[in-house]
Amino acid sequence: MKKRNILSILIIAAFLCLLLLMVVQLLPLIRDIVTNVGDESNIVAYVDSVGWRGVPALIGLSTLQVIIPIIPAPVVGVVSGLSYGIYWGSLIFLSGIALGNIFVVVSVRQLHSLIPAKRKQDPKRKKLLSKEKLDKVKRPEIAAFFLVLLPWVSSVGPYLFAQTNVSLGKYIIAVIAGSIPSTIIYVFLGDHISRGNYTTAIITAAVAVVVILFILLFRKKIIDKIMGESEGDT
């Protein structure tokens, strides 16, 4: 067996062990987040009760919401704002997003080095967003930045972009930059709820819902525009 393959296996095994450890340690929080969407009181109470350990716990949750799509990112972001305010909450949430994307991209690339993916041309997948389209993009980090702004793409983005030639550093910078707007909305909402400013929180949530619905309604046109401009970039 080649040394490179052995290294890839060791990296994947280490990442899987780390993932399993995180899931086991954070299982109570994951269960509360998935089953009690809209009621973050138990989660905030737990974070407050563990003191300084609440920071790595929320970073871990923010990391896992990238790796495991069933964990709702908005809830984790709101809890970060509820527990640590706008500034620290944003830093915690963005740190988790960065770590989660690094985890996925490195793991997928190492796996592909062991099991090369067979390239198949599927005309149906080209209609919206696919690996075939991403292969033609000259500046995939630019596409990553804009596509992260789309709610449903952020959950599959790292798995897709891991299959491109974009450097890990450029991709992570693009993801962090693209995640800033949604992060600010989530933690701002959580911070104002914690302060009792429910009117501001409701207005913020309403604006966010309208923006998300608008993006979802015109998602195909938005993606075609982004991909088209990225392909034409030199």
Side-chain angles (χ1 to χ4, degrees), residues 143-151 153-154 171 174-180 182:
F145 168 78
F146 287 105
L147 292 173
V148 167
L149 299 174
L150 300 175
V153 175
S154 58
Y171 173 73
V175 167
I176 291 175
S179 299
I180 289 176
S182 59

Side-chain angles (χ1 to χ4, degrees), residues 21-71:
L21 179 63
M22 290 173 63
V23 171
V24 171
Q25 292 292 322
L26 298 174
L27 188 58
L29 286 180
I30 295 173
R31 184 168 53 245
D32 282 340
I33 283 181
V34 173
T35 59
N36 298 315
V37 176
D39 182 11
E40 294 82 19
S41 57
N42 290 338
I43 307 168
V44 175
Y46 174 84
V47 172
D48 291 339
S49 68
V50 296
W52 65 269
R53 289 177 296 174
V55 174
L58 281 180
I59 291 177
L61 275 178
S62 301
T63 301
L64 288 177
Q65 61 86 19
V66 176
I67 303 170
I68 307 173
I70 64 170
I71 301 176

Side-chain angles (χ1 to χ4, degrees), residues 27-155:
L27 188 58
L29 286 180
I30 295 173
R31 184 168 53 245
D32 282 340
I33 283 181
V34 173
T35 59
N36 298 315
V37 176
D39 182 11
E40 294 82 19
S41 57
N42 290 338
I43 307 168
V44 175
Y46 174 84
V47 172
D48 291 339
S49 68
V50 296
W52 65 269
R53 289 177 296 174
V55 174
L58 281 180
I59 291 177
L61 275 178
S62 301
T63 301
L64 288 177
Q65 61 86 19
V66 176
I67 303 170
I68 307 173
I70 64 170
I71 301 176
V75 176
V76 180
V78 169
V79 170
S80 300
L82 279 168
S83 302
Y84 294 102
I86 294 176
Y87 302 109
W88 287 109
S90 297
L91 182 60
I92 288 170
F93 191 57
L94 288 172
S95 297
I97 290 174
L99 290 173
N101 277 271
I102 291 173
F103 186 101
V104 172
V105 171
V106 172
S107 298
V108 171
R109 286 181 174 177
Q110 292 298 323
L111 186 61
H112 281 187
S113 69
L114 294 174
I115 309 173
K118 295 181 180 179
R119 291 179 172 271
K120 293 182 179 180
Q121 296 295 328
D122 186 352
K124 293 182 179 180
R125 293 186 63 198
K126 292 183 180 180
K127 291 182 179 179
L128 193 56
L129 180 65
S130 66
K131 180 180 179 299
E132 287 76 15
K133 274 195 170 184
L134 290 174
D135 284 338
K136 298 179 181 179
V137 176
K138 295 181 179 180
R139 298 286 300 278
E141 67 273 14
I142 295 177
F145 168 78
F146 287 105
L147 292 173
V148 167
L149 299 174
L150 300 175
W152 65 276
V153 175
S154 58
S155 62

Side-chain angles (χ1 to χ4, degrees), residues 134-213:
L134 290 174
D135 284 338
K136 298 179 181 179
V137 176
K138 295 181 179 180
R139 298 286 300 278
E141 67 273 14
I142 295 177
F145 168 78
F146 287 105
L147 292 173
V148 167
L149 299 174
L150 300 175
W152 65 276
V153 175
S154 58
S155 62
V156 298
Y159 295 94
L160 286 172
F161 283 93
Q163 303 175 57
T164 69
N165 294 323
V166 62
S167 70
L168 181 61
K170 288 182 178 180
Y171 173 73
I172 296 302
I173 292 173
V175 167
I176 291 175
S179 299
I180 289 176
S182 59
T183 296
I184 291 176
I185 291 174
Y186 299 153
V187 299
F188 181 85
L189 183 61
D191 180 64
H192 278 264
I193 291 175
S194 68
R195 296 171 184 269
N197 298 331
Y198 296 107
T199 301
T200 303
I202 291 172
I203 293 174
T204 303
V207 171
V209 169
V210 171
V211 172
I212 291 173
L213 289 176

